[in-house]
Amino acid sequence: MEEELVETKRDIRRELLSKRVTLPSELKSSYDERIRAGLRTLPEFRHANRVLLYCPIKGEPDLTPLFDQLFSQGKKLVLPKVEEDELLLLEVNNLTCLSTGAFNILEPEDGISVTPEELDLVVVPGIAFDVNGYRIGFGKGYYDRLLERVSAPKVGVAYSFQVLDRVPRDTWDKPVDIVVTEKEVIRRC
């Protein structure tokens, strides 16, 4: 059964990653702007002071224009950095500290270390989400281990074709509270 689950997750990853990376750039830009607009409308985003975002890879929704918005509003931008099997959370004051890190992802070279409990909002990417907030990532478990320690609202961002009725889940998979796509905001019941 577990082997079947792994195979199913692998199939979903392969199919949706392919669809995501081949999204025409103009359409992707339009979708990304709608996702950013959807995030901006969330009370959880507006009221958050310390926000975890990410630098996109492999066609993930691009939230980087929100970085300057947070700075201009006097809010704190936190970005993840891979440290062995965990995500180190670093508050950054500017983007000059970013460099290519693990898995070819832009991440901060330095910053103020933040614990998951200090975050006001966590925004995470995924390859697939379901209507109950469960997600499929790249399979390394970094975000699941992080989400386990976060009490702040957790928001997944994805394109609407990445939201399925139900994704296969393991006991260690942790759901997000909200999923924002270019079409809608889905709140987990």
Side-chain angles (χ1 to χ4, degrees):
M1 178 72 169
E2 192 169 307
E3 194 173 300
E4 185 177 303
L5 184 66
V6 170
E7 194 59 38
T8 306
K9 281 186 173 184
R10 191 175 297 133
D11 292 341
I12 291 170
R13 276 188 195 101
R14 186 175 21 252
E15 179 185 340
L16 293 182
L17 264 177
S18 173
K19 193 169 184 176
R20 192 169 74 186
V21 298
T22 58
L23 201 58
S25 61
E26 283 184 23
L27 194 55
K28 182 183 183 331
S29 293
S30 171
Y31 286 0
D32 289 351
E33 179 49 45
R34 288 190 223 161
I35 289 169
R36 291 189 299 267
L39 274 171
R40 285 187 202 101
T41 67
L42 296 177
E44 293 88 348
F45 184 82
R46 289 194 315 270
H47 299 304
N49 182 49
R50 187 172 276 137
V51 180
L52 175 70
L53 295 176
Y54 64 87
C55 292
I57 60 164
K58 298 186 179 180
E60 290 171 339
D62 184 2
L63 305 182
T64 56
L66 294 175
F67 295 3
D68 284 331
Q69 178 184 340
L70 291 177
F71 293 143
S72 70
Q73 293 175 344
K75 297 185 179 211
K76 312 291 185 198
L77 171 64
V78 179
L79 294 172
K81 176 183 176 91
V82 174
E83 285 281 320
E84 297 177 16
D85 287 341
E86 299 296 324
L87 289 178
L88 178 63
L89 307 177
L90 295 174
E91 181 183 309
V92 299
N93 296 320
N94 61 62
L95 303 179
T96 60
C97 68
L98 298 181
S99 65
T100 303
F103 308 108
N104 216 22
I105 302 171
L106 274 181
E107 55 185 28
E109 291 177 12
D110 57 22
I112 300 166
S113 185
V114 174
T115 66
E117 297 81 6
E118 294 177 285
L119 296 169
D120 297 319
L121 184 71
V122 174
V123 181
V124 300
I127 296 171
F129 289 90
D130 69 20
V131 294
N132 295 307
Y134 285 91
R135 62 184 283 283
I136 295 176
F138 284 105
K140 303 287 186 195
Y142 289 104
Y143 277 105
D144 288 314
R145 287 189 291 281
L146 172 66
L147 294 177
E148 191 169 37
R149 297 182 52 205
V150 171
S151 58
K154 299 169 264 310
V155 180
V157 290
Y159 303 116
S160 57
F161 62 80
Q162 295 175 262
V163 178
L164 310 175
D165 289 334
R166 190 176 198 296
V167 298
R169 44 184 98 133
D170 289 298
T171 55
W172 57 81
D173 290 332
K174 302 297 174 208
V176 295
D177 304 304
I178 303 166
V179 177
V180 176
T181 75
E182 79 282 4
K183 291 183 178 178
E184 64 185 330
V185 172
I186 304 164
R187 290 186 177 268
R188 182 168 59 102
C189 298

